[in-house]
Amino acid sequence: MRRPTGSWTSAVGRRMVEAGSAAPLREVRDLVRRARPAGSRGDLLYRVYSAVLAALLAVTPVAAAVQNALRSSAPLPALPAQTPDVLPLALVAVVLIALWAVLQDAVLRGPVRVSVPFIDWVLPLPLSREAVLRPFLLRATGFSAALWAVGCLLLPPLLWRTVLAAPDGAGLLLVQAGAAGALLGVFASGAGTLLADGRILDRIRPLFYLSLLLLAGLAGLVWTGRVPDGSVEPVLWSGPWGWASLLLLDRHRLPALALLAFLALATAAAARGRLPSLDPRGLRSGAQLASGVRGGLWLTDAGWFRASLGDARKAGFSARRALPPPRDPRLLVPWRDMLGILRDGPAFVRACLLLGPSLLCARAETEGLPLSLRTLITAAGPFCMYLAVGGLMEGARSCAAVPGRTRYLLHSPGGLALAHGLAPLLVAAVPTLAWTGVLTLLGGPDPGVFWAAACLPASAAAALAGIYRGVMPLQFLSGFDTPFGNSALLQTALWHASGFLGLLAVAWPGNVPWLLAGTAALVWWARRRGGRVMGAGGP
């Protein structure tokens, strides 16, 4: 979207200030609307056109999929008998993670989407801030409700095709699922407004990760039969994440829908009262971040997004999490990376949570499943491990973003690039061994689990290669024409996913010599890429 020029903002700002105290809110809105450049109106119309076109293109396949799920009489895939028992816990975890992602987005980009000129010129006026921001909140709430409704509409047909048989009143259940999704969207938008400053979110972050660990532990106990499947019932009534799961599972639909409606309306009312106290500085930083995302800065610069959030995500120093410096200067880089990991507890917890599903995917029995589902499970394991190890490599990212800070370290550029992988590899090995032991005790030794654990060094090398990809060549954005269309999108996607694709090529065949040779190739690749990036910061 094209940003307004400085002359336009100055002219509109002077007219607003002159009329601010006397003009009613509607007159100020009309003034902003009339002064908006014609190009901005064209951008708005283009976005509306794109949204309508995307909706029309998506409605037909979604409707066809729902209709096929309702009319299909094909037998369900041969899944393990414990799958329906742990399905409620999986749905609770999915909804909980989605709600957490919405809250994080509200902290980063702001609960309402307001342009920077609007923040600079309209919010300082002597007008009711609640009345000024209410339309933006309503728009954000409506978009969130629509998005959540679509997600909850798609989940039941997916469950009916894979895990559960379609109930008799499937049509009514779909309508209620869409309503529950819309109510969840309203609740998520309101909760994001209430927690926009991020302080409360930081306090409950350990509780969120603890909840996911408890859900994973309870799922393991239910799967192995150590606790009855009825023990998941209190979890389903624990909050909106469980109420929505009750409705999707065709249990207690009306009470769950009533609880969701009450909570959504209460949260929306509280969010409306929170609008006058929103910090304009937070709104402005969120608007700048959203403008950079829309402008595609993250497409060409791999470290832009994390660099823009560096101050907000920086962990505080604590003497209790300090390590004595090493005597050998060559260990300075791993020591500094270990300090960063110890001070960033959420990154370590995320790695623990991701390594569990990675090993579970390696242990999963995929015989008899559709080819698409088998492929998804096979790729999900390396992907979770790649994310887990890569999330611990903040030191490598910071040096790749600012190579000049490495000029006084006693390493060659390539050696320095590989040194940033030692501490994350050692730290990730601890939960990997723990998960391997737990899965072996619960279900006996499994070759797939040991194979996945053996892929950990390859995951570290692939994550380093992905971090050191540098700046994307600009010719990728233009691409070249082929009989199947322009190649720009494919080239951009391959450039961003190059590290994971390298890991997938190494881990997929399941051959030990291939794994060893592939790991060595990934290490060489990471050293070469990192040497090129680190060498750019030489004296």
Side-chain angles (χ1 to χ4, degrees), residues 452-491:
C455 292
L456 189 64
S459 302
L464 285 176
I467 291 172
Y468 296 142
R469 61 186 184 271
V471 178
M472 187 180 70
L474 294 180
Q475 59 266 27
F476 284 5
L477 295 177
S478 57
F480 55 89
D481 293 329
T482 70
F484 305 99
N486 193 273
S487 65
L489 182 61
L490 179 61
Q491 287 179 282

Side-chain angles (χ1 to χ4, degrees), residues 181-526:
L183 292 173
L184 270 177
V186 174
F187 165 74
S189 178
T193 306
L194 294 174
L195 306 177
D197 58 359
R199 289 176 296 180
I200 300 180
L201 206 63
D202 291 336
R203 294 172 186 169
I204 65 176
R205 190 185 306 274
L207 183 61
F208 167 72
Y209 291 123
L210 178 62
S211 302
L212 293 181
L213 287 174
L214 292 177
L215 287 174
L218 182 58
L221 294 175
V222 172
W223 185 275
T224 56
R226 285 172 168 78
V227 296
D229 55 357
S231 58
V232 306
E233 196 70 18
V235 178
L236 295 175
W237 290 102
S238 59
W241 40 85
W243 304 339
S245 304
L246 278 172
L247 206 144
L248 294 174
L249 295 170
D250 195 17
R251 304 183 191 175
H252 312 290
R253 291 188 285 179
L254 291 181
L257 200 60
L259 288 173
L260 280 174
F262 173 77
L263 183 64
L265 293 177
T267 308
R272 179 180 175 180
R274 176 75 169 81
L275 288 177
S277 58
L278 289 179
D279 185 10
R281 292 174 298 178
L283 294 177
R284 197 176 200 284
S285 63
Q288 291 173 340
L289 177 62
S291 177
V293 171
R294 288 194 304 268
L297 297 179
W298 57 276
L299 283 175
T300 57
D301 188 357
W304 173 83
F305 189 75
R306 285 184 175 267
S308 62
L309 303 179
D311 294 336
R313 299 178 58 142
K314 190 178 296 181
F317 175 79
S318 173
R320 293 177 298 177
R321 288 175 281 183
L323 293 175
R327 297 179 181 271
D328 191 344
R330 292 172 296 182
L331 299 177
L332 183 61
V333 174
W335 169 77
R336 189 175 63 177
D337 291 343
M338 186 67 72
L339 275 180
I341 295 173
L342 292 177
R343 294 171 185 172
D344 190 8
F348 177 72
V349 177
R350 283 195 299 268
C352 295
L353 293 174
L354 286 169
L355 287 170
S358 175
L359 299 180
L360 284 174
C361 289
R363 189 186 179 90
E365 297 290 340
T366 58
E367 296 296 333
L369 297 179
L371 178 61
S372 58
L373 192 56
R374 291 203 309 267
T375 305
L376 179 62
I377 293 175
T378 306
F383 182 67
C384 290
M385 185 170 288
Y386 179 83
L387 291 180
V389 181
L392 299 173
M393 294 184 173
E394 195 61 37
R397 289 190 182 89
S398 62
C399 288
V402 187
R405 69 178 63 184
T406 65
R407 65 180 63 188
Y408 300 114
L409 295 175
L410 301 179
H411 290 276
S412 64
L416 177 62
L418 293 182
H420 280 296
L422 293 178
L425 178 60
L426 294 176
V427 171
V430 176
T432 300
L433 294 176
W435 277 109
T436 303
V438 169
L439 294 177
T440 303
L441 290 175
L442 293 179
D446 185 272
V449 175
F450 296 117
W451 171 261
C455 292
L456 189 64
S459 302
L464 285 176
I467 291 172
Y468 296 142
R469 61 186 184 271
V471 178
M472 187 180 70
L474 294 180
Q475 59 266 27
F476 284 5
L477 295 177
S478 57
F480 55 89
D481 293 329
T482 70
F484 305 99
N486 193 273
S487 65
L489 182 61
L490 179 61
Q491 287 179 282
T492 303
L494 290 177
W495 183 80
H496 279 284
S498 57
F500 169 66
L501 293 177
L503 173 62
L504 200 60
V506 170
W508 190 293
N511 185 276
V512 175
W514 177 267
L515 176 63
L516 295 177
T519 302
L522 288 175
V523 170
W524 174 83
W525 190 28

